[in-house]
Amino acid sequence: MAKLFGGFELEEFQGLDKLPQKAASAWTKVTELTGAKFKPILYAGKQVTKGINYGFIAEETLQTIGQERRLVALVVNEFNGEFEVLNDRFTVIFG
């Protein structure tokens, strides 16, 4: 897909080789989302709230014609052993 003048052209990201065990468990919830595929680029850290929030930067590839790629920030919450993706709409960083 052609980029508009001034738009960012994303690199081909390699993804993360290894995540901390709890963050990896949180990430599996992201892989269940439909409409896009996600590749973790950065595990940003965790936040103690009602449970624990795990923050990620990921490459999102939309499952549409043209398969638009963009970087997004997303958060997964773990509470009582259950994981939930908190973002309805992910914060688009580039793309």
Side-chain angles (χ1 to χ4, degrees), residues 51-63:
I52 299 175
N53 290 339
Y54 296 91
F56 298 93
I57 304 297
E59 176 186 14
E60 176 186 45
T61 303
L62 299 177
Q63 299 301 293

Side-chain angles (χ1 to χ4, degrees), residues 60 70-73 90-95:
E60 176 186 45
R70 56 194 187 176
L71 285 182
V72 297
F90 307 120
T91 302
V92 177
I93 300 169
F94 292 118

Side-chain angles (χ1 to χ4, degrees), residues 3 7-9 12 19 23-24 27 30 32-34 42 53 55-56 64-66 69 73 77 82-83 87 93-95:
K3 291 288 181 187
F8 278 91
E9 183 176 329
E12 292 297 325
L19 287 169
W27 182 257
V30 174
E32 297 172 3
L33 298 174
T34 59
L42 170 74
N53 290 339
F56 298 93
T64 59
I65 296 174
R69 294 172 51 234
N77 176 261
E82 298 290 323
F83 293 95
N87 312 58
I93 300 169
F94 292 118

